[in-house]
Amino acid sequence: MAQNYFAALRDVALAVNSSLEPSAVLHQITEHAAKAMSCKACTIRLLDGTGHFLLPTAAYGLSDSYMRKGPVEVGRSGLDGEVLGGKIIHLKDATSDGRFQYPESAKAEGLVSVLSAPLLVNGKTIGLIRVYSSEERDFTPDEETFMQAVAALSAMSIENARLHDALRNNYELMAKHAYSVYED
């Protein structure tokens, strides 16, 4: 089983290095994570600017109706609050655990157990990654470690894309300024 995780981590690292386009990279990450862990689905959600909502950023294996179930409010989801506090959290049955914000939607989607890990950049939580199992299961310590590694690579990918955009914008501003100075 550990060999599958090593191969999946290699694939995630290759995806992170393949592009600075976050949506494509994060979608590949969700697919690799779900498949490596034999899970039905995986999502990555990022905090909005207010820190009150988790926005769907990438998903694999979930229906459009599930993804449109409603806003994920940090204040209404005990699970997400714990994960954003820096903890990796396992729910054996999300449909009956009061910390899960949309248990009815999870049940309708066929989701039972979930494992969630925070996305950290420089010690600050920017979002989370979550895998969903279609059957009740206990996630192993190796699976938790794998999720933490995937979360770290995901956060690095997001931060690299943000830094690239900032650098490109600064370059464009400098180029415009230099061109206008040259014209004068």
Side-chain angles (χ1 to χ4, degrees):
M1 189 70 118
Q3 291 174 337
N4 291 341
Y5 293 137
F6 289 131
L9 282 175
R10 178 204 61 223
D11 293 343
V12 167
L14 289 172
V16 167
N17 286 327
S18 70
S19 172
L20 287 169
E21 178 53 45
S23 61
V25 171
L26 297 178
H27 176 76
Q28 287 181 45
I29 290 171
T30 59
E31 183 176 354
H32 290 305
K35 288 179 177 179
M37 296 180 69
S38 300
C39 284
K40 174 181 175 139
C42 180
T43 58
I44 293 176
R45 291 182 176 271
L46 298 178
L47 280 169
D48 73 343
T50 69
H52 297 294
F53 295 94
L54 283 164
L55 305 175
T57 305
Y60 171 80
L62 295 171
S63 68
D64 289 339
S65 63
Y66 184 80
M67 292 305 295
R68 290 190 309 261
K69 67 189 174 296
V72 176
E73 298 177 58
V74 175
R76 296 186 62 207
S77 174
L79 167 65
D80 295 327
E82 289 180 61
V83 175
L84 294 172
K87 296 180 183 176
I88 187 162
I89 302 291
H90 165 239
L91 298 183
K92 196 166 189 172
D93 186 357
T95 64
S96 65
D97 191 306
R99 295 176 290 173
F100 201 76
Q101 187 176 348
Y102 292 100
E104 302 84 18
S105 296
K107 188 172 189 169
E109 187 76 8
L111 307 175
V112 183
S113 294
V114 298
L115 180 64
S116 303
L119 302 177
L120 299 166
V121 172
N122 298 323
K124 181 181 176 196
T125 308
I126 61 167
L128 58 84
I129 184 169
R130 176 175 295 143
V131 290
Y132 305 81
S133 175
S134 58
E135 55 194 36
E136 191 172 296
R137 69 188 262 191
D138 289 314
F139 291 97
T140 67
D142 283 346
E143 289 173 317
E144 289 183 7
T145 300
F146 174 75
M147 277 292 285
Q148 289 172 317
V150 171
L153 287 168
S154 300
M156 182 178 66
S157 172
I158 293 162
E159 184 64 5
N160 284 347
R162 287 179 180 169
L163 291 172
H164 175 75
D165 283 345
L167 185 61
R168 187 183 68 232
N169 289 339
N170 286 342
Y171 175 78
E172 288 172 1
L173 285 173
M174 285 178 23
K176 285 180 185 177
H177 178 72
Y179 183 71
S180 67
V181 170
Y182 179 72
E183 285 185 326
D184 291 340

